[in-house]
Amino acid sequence: MDFVELEAIEGLRWSWNAWPTTKNQVSSLVIPLSIMCTPLMQSTELPILTYDPLICARCAAVLNPYARVDYQSRIWVCPFCYNRNPFPISYSGIGETNLPAELFPTYNTVEYKIDKVDSKFRSNLHLGYGWSNGLSSSNVSLSSMMSVGTPRSIGGAGAGAGAGAGGEVRGFAGPVPVFVFVVDACMVEEELRAVKNELLLVVEQLPENALVGLITFDAMVRVYDLGFSDCSRVVVFHGGREVSSEQTQQFLGIYSTKRQHGKTPVIQKLGFLLPVSECEFNITTAIEEICSLAVVMPGHRPQRCTGAAISVALGLLEGCSVNTGSRIMVFTSGPATLGPGIVVDSDLSNAIRTHGDLINGHALYYTKSCSFYNQLSQRLSDASVVLDLFACSLDQVGAAELKGPVESSGGFMMLGELFESDQFRKCLRQIFSHDEEGNLKMYFDATIEVVTTKDVKICGALGPCVSLRKKNSVVSDREIGEGGTYKWKLGTLTNRTCIAFFFELCDEQRAEPGSAFLVQFITRYRHGNMGVRKRVTTAARRWVENKSPEITAGFDQETAASVMARLAIYRAERCFARDVIRWLDDDLICFASKFGDYIQEDPSSFRLSSNFSLYPQFMYYLRRSQFIDVFNCTPDETAFFRLMLNREGVVGSLIMIQPTLFQYSFDGPPVPVLLDVRSIFADVILLFDSYFHVVIHYGSKIAQWKRLGYHKDPNHENLRKLLEAPEIDAQQVMVERVPAPKLIKCDQHSSQARFLLAKLNPSVTQNSTFIDGSEIILTDDLSLQDFIDHLQALAVKG
């Protein structure tokens, strides 16, 4: 079974592709029943249907190829709940030779364009199929249909919005993306200049109807009135105080009427959020004029109120936006030293918190700041606002505290050293890139709904999502991650965003072996053109007997490792690392004992079939990874690493857990080699990819030839080509990844080689009896072979 090919069709990777029929049998599998879902995975054969989906009246599942259809009666039977649903009149021509696209057997995934269109102009001809069910989508929220009023300068005449009948707001129609740039004014001049230059490029590339706002902060928060042209005009908030959403709107002069009798609320026109077409000159001028006003006392850090600035930006959006997709983009170069969300006080004699401080309870502000940001997380979710963090500093900036709202909103996090670096420029330009039609490659205001057959219950999800706490009969009482629901909210997502869903079986129901069960994922989101789309993926798998060979054949060890990594991170954020490692070890021993072939009490007889053989190796590298072992990592780095793993798909997750290593030599093309210290040779080049770092490691002989300039000699053309090959491949890896990994070029025995040595299996150490001139690693860590020997000894015990 080729799991990669299945993923290309479904956008799903299953830890187990065949499920036992009882709860006890499932618990004996050790690895939970789970699906890694990439809702918007790119596909060249994805059908786009320009009509509304047909929805089951009982379970809300969408019509799919597994439904049974009675063509004469024009009725379809839902494969999830077996409810009989009538086809609307527009499906009168349906027949075995005239099927709508959603019933094609090959279309497990379809996407509906369900933009709200006036019924007078609705056509019955869609994609040549002639299907238009005539039903308005019940999932389109009122807020997603409302018109957005064009804000106006508070200094202009008539600050109130002119509302027509029924509360309609005059201005441009339809939802638009909103961007609020929050800039740290405490940066050094060179860094601030780099940020300003990139923001000016971003503003140039934004759609003309996109709303923009600008906020700067140091010890104060300054909200720019972009509608006032006479001079630079700002509303100033004290950075040391926590200001509620209502207070923010009151100080800014924002008011909105409450929704009554289904009418759209009237939104006041203000100059703090304006379309680019109306304020391009003003916002460009304001960005160019940003300068640092902070006075830094000797021996102190700058007064920086990051938390207050984010809170004010969110209050502004809550008062002015219509909850259809907004982004708060924070650019900072240091930790908050003032107000809510404080990380460390300004006195440099007080060091910023470390993992040791967090464990021992010596981080004075950590708990309170995390509580503040967790409250922001819920507000961000309710308002469909995304929080992005771009932080460049040689010290920590408070990313550990900010991880909660950034991750739950689906936001982007970049930790770098300099805003002047290519890494920052590439990241920002990638986020604001456009598709072939000129729309931003951004998807906003998404929800994911899961529908299952009656024997399957949903436990929860791990990833950049928030539970909407909507329960029905398929929601389990046991929660994993964001649980207690069949529906989740995502502020934004990309084509690579991946979420792990967890399932269990019902207690009372027993499925029939050989029969099929279904899982459907319904993803509703706003496209880059702000039109509403709904992607529906329906997948089927089979129930099998407990000891069926199909269970073994259907085990995806790569997906299992990715799922266990997310579960390990979830535990690591709530208990000590040693307890997480103990839990991983216990589960691995149970797994090996269950699926290994061995003679009891004889470790040398232990064998694992090919479908299981790599899994212990993945667990070995996961135990040693920066996700669990936080030694030599700051809390900010750990937060960033864990956030990235929690949204990456199976392939990217595996690279993070067990990096790839390729060898380049004169003997032929590059070949993958073991992630082992024995792979280092003097006359080869190694290309190492750990997702966050890409290392080009030159053997000592290659490095010497390079220093002597042999590659510049036309007689040594093969050496030049050998040196170029890994650099070309490294650039290819970096182009495809956001944020771009750090590229490190190092020679054997140099200090930078530590980035490679730290991840290699220490099969040769200072304690090895026979070294044979090989590279050694100075460590007391267990090698992979020792780890496997211990595992075999424990697995074969009774």
Side-chain angles (χ1 to χ4, degrees), residues 373-387:
Y373 283 122
N374 287 337
Q375 292 172 12
L376 278 188
S377 298
Q378 189 57 51
R379 289 172 58 191
L380 288 164
S381 176
D382 293 342
S384 298
V385 177
V386 180
L387 177 62

Side-chain angles (χ1 to χ4, degrees), residues 143 245 313-319 321-328 376-386 445 489 491:
S143 65
S245 179
L314 181 53
L316 169 63
L317 288 172
E318 287 171 329
S321 181
V322 289
N323 301 351
T324 55
S326 311
R327 295 187 92 114
I328 297 173
L376 278 188
S377 298
Q378 189 57 51
R379 289 172 58 191
L380 288 164
S381 176
D382 293 342
S384 298
V385 177
V386 180
D445 194 21
K489 175 73 175 285

Side-chain angles (χ1 to χ4, degrees), residues 217-221 237-240 303-310 336-340:
F217 66 95
D218 39 44
M220 299 289 184
V221 180
F237 293 81
H238 194 288
Q303 293 280 310
R304 187 183 281 111
C305 57
T306 312
I310 296 172
T337 56
L338 183 69

Side-chain angles (χ1 to χ4, degrees), residues 7 42 124 146 189 439 510 542 615 723 750 754:
E7 183 184 22
Q42 284 183 318
N124 285 336
M146 58 193 284
E189 186 178 343
N439 301 313
R510 179 183 171 85
R542 194 171 298 282
Y615 182 72
L723 293 172
S750 68
R754 68 185 185 274

Side-chain angles (χ1 to χ4, degrees), residues 226-244:
L226 302 175
F228 193 76
S229 303
D230 296 343
C231 64
S232 180
R233 182 159 117 173
V234 298
V235 176
V236 181
F237 293 81
H238 194 288
R241 299 171 189 160
E242 187 171 342
V243 185
S244 69

Side-chain angles (χ1 to χ4, degrees), residues 407-609:
E407 181 169 43
S408 64
S409 68
F412 185 85
M413 182 183 286
M414 192 208 87
L415 298 185
E417 296 177 358
L418 293 171
F419 282 113
E420 294 178 294
S421 65
D422 287 337
Q423 183 188 28
F424 168 65
R425 286 192 285 268
K426 287 178 181 177
C427 287
L428 202 59
R429 292 172 189 179
Q430 180 71 23
I431 290 173
F432 285 97
S433 60
H434 294 71
D435 60 19
E436 297 79 9
E437 299 175 0
N439 301 313
L440 288 173
K441 287 185 181 178
M442 287 187 189
Y443 310 121
F444 293 101
D445 194 21
T447 59
I448 295 182
E449 185 176 344
V450 178
V451 184
T452 67
T453 44
K454 63 180 181 179
D455 301 309
V456 180
K457 283 188 173 287
I458 305 164
C459 296
L462 288 175
C465 59
V466 176
S467 169
L468 290 178
R469 312 305 297 183
K470 292 182 178 291
K471 290 196 173 187
N472 61 14
S473 59
V474 300
V475 176
S476 171
D477 293 329
R478 185 169 74 99
E479 294 188 17
I480 298 177
E482 291 289 324
T485 187
Y486 63 89
K487 194 173 187 178
W488 292 263
K489 175 73 175 285
L490 297 88
T492 186
L493 71 169
T494 69
N495 294 325
R496 298 173 64 96
T497 303
C498 184
I499 299 173
F501 291 95
F502 297 86
F503 303 88
E504 68 175 9
L505 303 190
C506 296
D507 295 317
E508 59 279 353
Q509 299 286 346
R510 179 183 171 85
E512 198 66 37
S515 60
F517 66 93
L518 302 172
V519 180
Q520 186 175 78
F521 297 89
I522 306 169
T523 306
R524 179 192 179 279
Y525 68 98
R526 287 199 173 276
H527 193 260
N529 59 10
M530 299 309 287
V532 177
R533 295 201 179 186
K534 185 177 284 189
R535 185 175 294 196
V536 181
T537 298
T538 311
R541 294 296 187 271
R542 194 171 298 282
W543 299 111
V544 295
E545 291 284 1
N546 184 29
K547 295 185 179 179
S548 169
E550 289 184 50
I551 292 180
T552 302
F555 178 65
D556 185 347
Q557 51 194 335
E558 295 180 350
T559 302
S562 303
V563 167
M564 293 300 285
R566 293 202 188 198
L567 287 171
I569 287 175
Y570 183 71
R571 285 175 174 259
E573 291 174 345
R574 288 157 180 79
C575 55
F576 295 116
R578 61 175 178 269
D579 296 325
V580 178
I581 292 175
R582 188 178 297 116
W583 168 75
L584 284 171
D585 289 346
D586 290 345
D587 273 9
L588 180 58
I589 293 166
C590 292
F591 179 84
S593 182
K594 164 79 175 175
F595 295 103
D597 296 321
Y598 54 88
I599 300 171
Q600 200 157 327
E601 303 294 344
D602 182 6
S604 63
S605 66
F606 184 88
R607 297 289 184 275
L608 278 172
S609 66

Side-chain angles (χ1 to χ4, degrees), residues 580-582 584-585 588 616-629 657 782 787:
V580 178
I581 292 175
R582 188 178 297 116
L584 284 171
D585 289 346
L588 180 58
Q617 181 177 311
F618 293 148
M619 291 300 100
Y620 168 76
Y621 286 107
L622 176 60
R623 293 168 86 257
R624 302 180 74 226
S625 70
Q626 67 269 37
F627 306 109
I628 310 299
D629 183 4
I657 296 167
L782 279 180
F787 178 78

